[in-house]
């Protein structure tokens, strides 16, 4: 049974159709990656699904009682609200019903008031509104969140967990995610992946993180020139399919254009083309002209290159036992490294651990508190800033690049700035737009254009992959791999690191940094382990207290524990023969259900599962749901009998 369906859906802004008579069906249990170039309308499509945008024409149908949850792209504010309050916002409609009921329960004395009270009670029972607090507590426990901690005490990664909890507390049938990995560190991305793999509903997500995409998606839907192209399978198999589709489209267009050119030659022959017996051919030519005029060409690929400066000295940086502290906290501790010309080095570590600080030390922008630091000669550094502070939002795209120039020279070739910007997918009209009106992806492309317009032999890139579409990412990888200078790279994109860097500097906690040969996967193979961004100390204590698992923090000076007299445990009630027999049989039943559930999960997660007839797909999904419920009931019964 379908959860959601688009029928001949159309939506346009200006003269550009984002959805052009689109048909799409979403089924239970699917994990759909919505991909496409920046500006194609992926986020707009999610807004259509949530109902915040209306279609120009066509139909959006949702199954009755379908609940849609959204993991917002923006993090929750770091304010004074408690985590419990923010998560409970996901059930704001339930809380409103509760408030109305409580108010009316005091005031209702007439027949109309009592009837209204009864309707509110029915509505609350329908959404299980009497157990709102328990729902929130269950989600907090599952995600390991401290409900009593204020949001301002949490890092960005932990606030992302709170946002996910707020979306999951609604128990959605469909969960929408728009770039959920942006600005998250690798550990938090891995944690998010695992939570979403365990989610039993339907996922529809937008991401440019290829590792995240490959691990999660069992269906790919590409939005290209107003049309949706679905693929049953993972991202790797989709790439092969897409290459074939684009090659077929190019061949068909070439044949069509060749025939059109021949017909244009024929029509210009004059009187012969206007004879009665050729009127059909003339009408066919008019139809071909119309078809060619309506064809939407695929947007060209970005095609930028780097302006190479003169070679730097062979030694770029030589650091020996350097250390650096900030606000009495040791950020860099006894670190040594030698960077040579041509090295491409990636920095890996949680957000806030000190990666940007290390970059500034290596570039000589900060001086270490101790140790020896030598910086090489003839270094020309180009710096990509993750906060995009090098762009003036009040200036146009062109003015941010020009700096008084009309032409630019790249590797000996003179280019007009308009032509140069077109290589970064900025059409002439867009170069006059102010930077503040650009999307995140456009701003990143503009920053790359600015970066690569200046001669450099050292490229420093601080999270350059955020908001870039997949094709631009792949091109950037090629350019960095061919770059003859030195690259220092901070990124949480695991595949990008694997494809670019020759070695990694990994923050292992306590200011310690170790160097490993190769990229992210090479580091893992060498025994690398991710460190988690810890909760603040006070927040951790509240979390431990709330889960009943309080542990002493070794960094704290704990007082001598007081001895308390042990109380004998209450005698356990002996079960009847019937109940004892039921208890003895439950472990075997649960083991059998777990095996059945595992087999069903493997079957429904297969790449070709949804290519079967819909009635068979629905039958197997229903079997999966029934098995999950049976296992949950068995576990609850086992806990109940064990506690008697």
């Amino acid at each position: 049974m379908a959860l959601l369906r688009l029928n001949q859906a159309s939506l346009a802004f200006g003269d550009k159709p984002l959805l052009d008579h689109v048909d799409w069906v979403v089924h239970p249990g699917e994990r759909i990656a919505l991909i496409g170039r920046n500006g194609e309308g992926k986020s707009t499509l999610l807004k259509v699904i949530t109902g915040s945008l209306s279609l120009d024409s066509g139909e959006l149908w949702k199954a009755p009682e379908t609940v849609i949850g959204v993991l917002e792209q923006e993090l929750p504010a770091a304010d004074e609200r408690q985590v419990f309050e923010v998560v409970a916002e996901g059930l704001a409609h339930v809380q409103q019903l509760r408030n109305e009921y409580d108010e009316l329960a005091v005031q209702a004395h007439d027949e109309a008031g009592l009837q209204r009270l009864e309707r509110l009670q029915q509505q609350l029972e329908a959404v299980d509104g009497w157990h709102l607090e328990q729902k929130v507590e269950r989600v907090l426990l599952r995600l390991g969140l401290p409900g009593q901690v204020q949001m301002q005490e949490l890092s960005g990664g932990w606030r992302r967990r709170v946002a996910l909890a707020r979306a999951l507390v609604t128990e959605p049938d469909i969960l929408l995610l728009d770039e959920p990995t942006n600005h998250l560190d690798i550990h938090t991305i891995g944690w998010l992946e695992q939570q979403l793999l365990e989610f039993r509903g339907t996922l529809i997500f937008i991401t440019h993180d290829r590792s995240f995409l490959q691990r999660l998606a069992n269906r790919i839907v590409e939005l290209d020139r107003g049309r949706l192209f679905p693929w049953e399978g993972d991202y790797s198999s989709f790439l092969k399919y897409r290459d074939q589709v684009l090659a077929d489209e190019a061949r068909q267009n070439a044949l069509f254009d060749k025939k059109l050119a021949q017909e244009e030659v024929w029509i210009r022959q004059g009187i012969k083309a206007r004879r009665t017996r050729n009127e059909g051919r003339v009408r066919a030519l008019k139809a071909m002209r119309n078809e060619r005029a309506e064809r939407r060409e695929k947007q060209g690929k970005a095609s930028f290159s780097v302006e190479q400066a003169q070679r730097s000295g062979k030694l770029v940086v030589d650091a020996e036992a350097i250390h650096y502290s900030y606000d009495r906290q040791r950020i860099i501790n006894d670190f040594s490294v030698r960077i040579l010309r041509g090295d491409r080095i990636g920095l890996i570590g949680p957000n806030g651990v000190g990666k940007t600080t290390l970059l500034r030390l290596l570039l000589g922008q900060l001086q270490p508190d101790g140790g020896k630091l030598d910086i090489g000669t003839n270094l020309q550094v180009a710096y990509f800033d993750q906060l995009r502070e090098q762009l003036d939002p009040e200036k146009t795209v062109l003015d941010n690049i020009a700096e008084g120039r009309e032409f630019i020279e790249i590797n000996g070739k003179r280019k007009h700035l308009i032509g140069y910007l077109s290589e970064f997918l900025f059409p002439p009209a867009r170069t006059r737009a102010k930077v503040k009106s650009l999307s995140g992806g456009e701003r990143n492309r503009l920053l790359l254009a600015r970066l690569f317009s200046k001669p450099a032999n050292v490229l420093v890139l601080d999270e350059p992959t955020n908001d870039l579409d997949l094709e631009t990412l792949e091109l950037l990888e090629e350019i960095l791999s061919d770059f003859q200078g030195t690259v220092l790279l901070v990124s949480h994109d695991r595949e990008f690191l694997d494809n670019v860097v020759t070695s990694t500097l990994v923050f292992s906690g306590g200011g310690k940094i170790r160097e490993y040969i190769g990229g992210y996967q090479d580091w893992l193979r060498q025994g690398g382990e991710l460190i988690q961004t810890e909760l603040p100390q006070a927040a951790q204590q509240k979390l431990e207290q709330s889960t009943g698992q309080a542990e002493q923090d070794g960094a704290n000076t704990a007082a001598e524990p007081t001895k308390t007299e042990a109380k004998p445990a209450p005698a356990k009630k002996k079960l009847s023969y019937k109940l004892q027999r039921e208890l003895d049989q439950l472990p075997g039943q649960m083991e059998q259900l777990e095996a059945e559930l595992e087999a069903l999960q493997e079957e429904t997660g297969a790449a070709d599962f949804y290519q079967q007839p819909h009635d068979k797909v629905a039958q197997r999904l229903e079997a999966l749901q029934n098995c999950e419920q049976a296992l949950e009931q068995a576990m609850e019964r086992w806990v109940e009998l064990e506690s008697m």
Side-chain angles (χ1 to χ4, degrees):
M1 177 182 174
L3 285 177
L4 182 145
R5 184 183 297 115
L6 286 174
N7 295 321
Q8 291 296 293
S10 294
L11 179 65
F13 293 123
D15 59 350
K16 180 183 179 182
L18 295 178
L19 300 175
D20 191 1
H21 298 90
V22 163
D23 293 320
W24 187 27
V25 180
V26 176
H27 294 101
E30 292 183 318
R31 297 196 299 272
I32 303 169
L34 183 60
I35 67 173
R37 289 195 168 182
N38 291 334
E40 287 289 348
K42 303 185 295 297
S43 297
T44 299
L45 179 54
L46 293 191
K47 290 177 182 177
V48 168
I49 293 173
T50 61
S52 58
L53 268 181
S54 299
L55 294 169
D56 294 337
S57 63
E59 176 191 14
L60 169 66
W61 174 88
K62 300 173 189 174
E65 309 300 327
T66 297
V67 178
I68 295 179
V70 181
L71 178 60
E72 302 289 350
Q73 191 171 11
E74 297 297 324
L75 292 176
D79 51 25
E80 296 181 355
R81 291 176 302 165
Q82 292 187 343
V83 169
F84 187 98
E85 297 175 53
V86 178
V87 174
E89 287 175 0
L91 298 172
H93 62 293
V94 179
Q95 186 63 59
Q96 184 178 356
L97 287 175
R98 284 266 296 264
N99 293 340
E100 289 181 26
Y101 182 90
D102 292 340
E103 290 177 8
L104 196 58
V106 177
Q107 302 170 2
H109 301 296
D110 57 5
E111 186 65 25
L114 292 173
Q115 290 178 357
R116 170 63 179 155
L117 195 65
E118 184 178 356
R119 286 196 297 271
L120 282 173
Q121 183 174 350
Q122 292 172 352
Q123 290 175 306
L124 280 166
E125 289 173 353
V127 295
D128 196 19
W130 303 115
H131 300 101
L132 182 148
E133 291 81 5
Q134 292 90 326
K135 283 185 177 182
V136 176
E137 290 290 354
R138 280 200 301 269
V139 173
L140 292 177
L141 184 61
R142 173 184 163 190
L143 301 188
L145 288 167
Q148 307 308 314
V149 170
Q150 292 183 343
M151 293 295 293
Q152 62 188 3
E153 298 180 47
L154 301 181
S155 66
W158 282 93
R159 283 189 284 138
R160 175 65 72 192
R161 295 189 186 208
V162 175
L164 179 61
R166 182 170 58 187
L168 292 179
V169 77
T170 63
E171 299 176 354
D173 302 294
I174 301 175
L175 181 60
L176 308 180
L177 307 98
D178 191 353
E179 294 290 358
T181 64
N182 266 7
H183 307 292
L184 296 185
D185 58 43
I186 291 177
H187 182 279
T188 308
I189 292 172
W191 173 88
L192 180 61
E193 283 178 353
Q194 190 57 42
Q195 294 299 323
L196 295 177
L197 284 170
E198 294 173 3
F199 177 65
R200 296 303 177 195
T202 296
L203 290 177
I204 303 177
F205 62 96
I206 299 169
T207 185
H208 297 145
D209 186 322
R210 290 159 294 181
S211 298
F212 186 85
L213 198 163
Q214 175 64 25
R215 189 174 181 203
L216 277 182
N218 57 23
R219 187 181 184 197
I220 309 293
V221 175
E222 183 179 29
L223 180 56
D224 180 24
R225 291 165 286 173
R227 297 175 294 168
L228 289 178
F229 298 90
W231 172 252
E232 304 290 344
D234 62 11
Y235 181 61
S236 296
S237 59
F238 166 78
L239 290 177
K240 299 175 184 176
Y241 156 77
R242 184 181 63 177
D243 289 343
Q244 181 180 346
V245 168
L246 291 177
D248 290 343
E249 180 183 341
R251 280 195 296 270
Q252 291 170 6
N253 286 343
L255 290 172
F256 180 92
D257 292 345
K258 181 179 180 181
K259 183 177 180 181
L260 176 60
Q262 291 171 344
E263 294 300 288
E264 292 289 1
V265 170
W266 169 79
I267 197 69
R268 288 179 175 82
Q269 291 177 356
I271 189 66
K272 294 180 181 178
R274 295 191 292 272
R275 291 177 182 171
T276 302
R277 64 176 181 270
N278 287 327
E279 285 182 359
R281 190 171 176 181
V282 173
R283 287 194 297 270
L285 174 57
K286 289 181 180 178
M288 290 179 70
R289 285 174 174 173
N290 291 335
E291 182 179 346
R292 180 63 184 86
E294 292 175 0
R295 182 197 300 171
R296 290 182 64 183
E297 299 288 355
K298 189 170 181 67
Q299 185 184 19
K301 292 185 177 181
S303 57
F304 48 85
S305 58
V306 184
E307 166 68 342
Q308 303 258 6
Q310 293 182 356
R311 295 207 309 177
S312 66
K314 184 175 181 181
L315 180 67
V316 176
V317 176
D318 188 12
E320 184 176 345
I322 64 172
H323 57 86
Y324 184 82
S325 298
Y326 179 76
D327 197 18
R328 297 183 180 180
Q329 181 178 357
R330 184 65 61 90
I331 297 175
I332 312 294
N333 186 23
D334 194 26
F335 172 62
S336 299
V337 71
R338 174 170 289 188
I339 301 175
L340 303 178
R341 182 180 62 234
D343 287 346
R344 298 192 299 274
I345 298 177
L347 278 64
I348 296 177
N351 287 335
V353 77
K355 298 185 296 294
T356 302
T357 299
L358 179 58
L359 284 179
R360 296 183 66 191
L361 281 167
L362 297 179
L363 295 174
Q365 297 175 358
L366 290 176
Q367 294 301 315
D369 298 334
K372 183 181 179 182
L373 178 64
D374 292 328
I375 298 177
T377 59
N378 195 30
L379 300 186
Q380 292 183 257
V381 179
Y383 195 105
F384 183 100
D385 177 18
Q386 62 168 312
L387 300 178
R388 308 186 185 103
E389 291 179 351
Q390 299 173 29
L391 299 177
D392 187 338
E394 296 300 326
K395 289 184 177 180
T396 65
V397 170
L398 189 61
D399 289 339
N400 266 278
I401 296 292
E403 297 180 340
R405 300 171 296 179
E406 185 177 353
F407 292 88
I408 191 172
E409 190 168 307
I410 302 292
N411 295 327
K413 295 181 180 179
R414 196 164 181 258
K415 298 181 179 181
H416 194 279
L417 283 173
I418 299 292
Y420 175 68
L421 285 167
S422 70
E423 297 176 357
F424 292 80
L425 304 183
F426 288 102
R430 196 61 172 157
T431 64
R432 303 294 180 185
K434 288 190 175 182
V435 167
K436 64 182 180 182
S437 70
L438 302 183
S439 67
E442 288 176 318
R443 292 191 187 198
N444 260 19
R445 290 204 308 271
L446 178 57
L447 195 51
L448 288 173
R450 180 183 173 94
L451 179 78
F452 294 158
S453 69
K454 299 176 181 179
N457 50 36
V458 177
L459 292 179
V460 181
L461 307 172
D462 196 349
E463 296 194 31
T465 62
N466 287 334
D467 301 315
L468 291 182
D469 58 43
L470 296 172
E471 291 183 352
T472 307
L473 268 178
E474 291 169 0
L475 176 60
L476 181 58
E477 287 175 353
E478 292 178 17
I479 289 171
L480 295 179
S481 298
D482 294 338
F483 182 60
Q484 299 301 308
T486 305
V487 177
L488 300 176
L489 169 66
V490 175
S491 179
H492 302 305
D493 188 321
R494 294 156 289 180
E495 187 160 341
F496 189 76
L497 287 167
D498 283 335
N499 293 341
V500 171
V501 305
T502 56
S503 63
T504 52
L505 298 177
V506 183
F507 289 73
S508 54
K512 293 291 184 182
I513 306 169
R514 292 188 59 187
E515 184 176 12
Y516 294 84
I517 300 299
Y520 173 76
Q521 293 297 333
D522 296 311
W523 165 60
L524 290 182
R525 282 191 287 270
Q526 294 172 65
E529 292 184 2
L530 293 168
I531 62 171
Q532 180 178 353
T533 305
E534 295 294 335
L535 277 169
Q537 189 178 55
Q540 183 65 33
Q541 289 175 350
K542 290 178 182 177
L543 175 60
E544 290 168 348
Q545 291 167 4
S546 66
T547 57
Q549 299 174 348
E551 298 176 353
Q552 288 292 342
D553 186 346
N556 293 335
T557 56
E560 183 70 17
T562 57
K563 296 182 180 179
T564 57
E565 184 179 351
K567 295 181 179 180
K572 191 173 181 179
K573 180 181 176 182
K574 187 175 181 179
L575 296 176
S576 66
Y577 172 79
K578 183 178 178 181
L579 291 178
Q580 184 63 50
R581 181 173 174 80
E582 182 183 357
L583 177 61
D584 293 340
Q585 290 175 346
L586 276 171
Q589 294 175 10
M590 289 190 292
E591 187 175 344
Q592 182 179 351
L593 285 168
E594 286 173 347
E596 183 181 346
L597 180 60
E598 185 177 351
L600 285 167
Q601 288 172 342
E602 184 175 349
E603 178 185 351
T604 57
D608 58 349
F609 175 71
Y610 291 98
Q611 295 177 0
Q612 303 177 89
H614 286 306
D615 55 346
K616 184 175 181 180
V617 170
Q619 180 184 10
R620 300 310 291 160
L621 290 173
E622 184 179 1
L624 174 64
Q625 185 177 4
N626 292 337
C627 184
E628 288 175 341
Q629 292 176 351
L631 179 59
E632 185 175 351
Q633 291 170 359
M635 291 180 70
E636 289 177 354
R637 182 59 174 164
W638 181 79
V639 171
E640 180 185 355
L641 294 176
E642 271 287 309
S643 62
M644 284 185 178

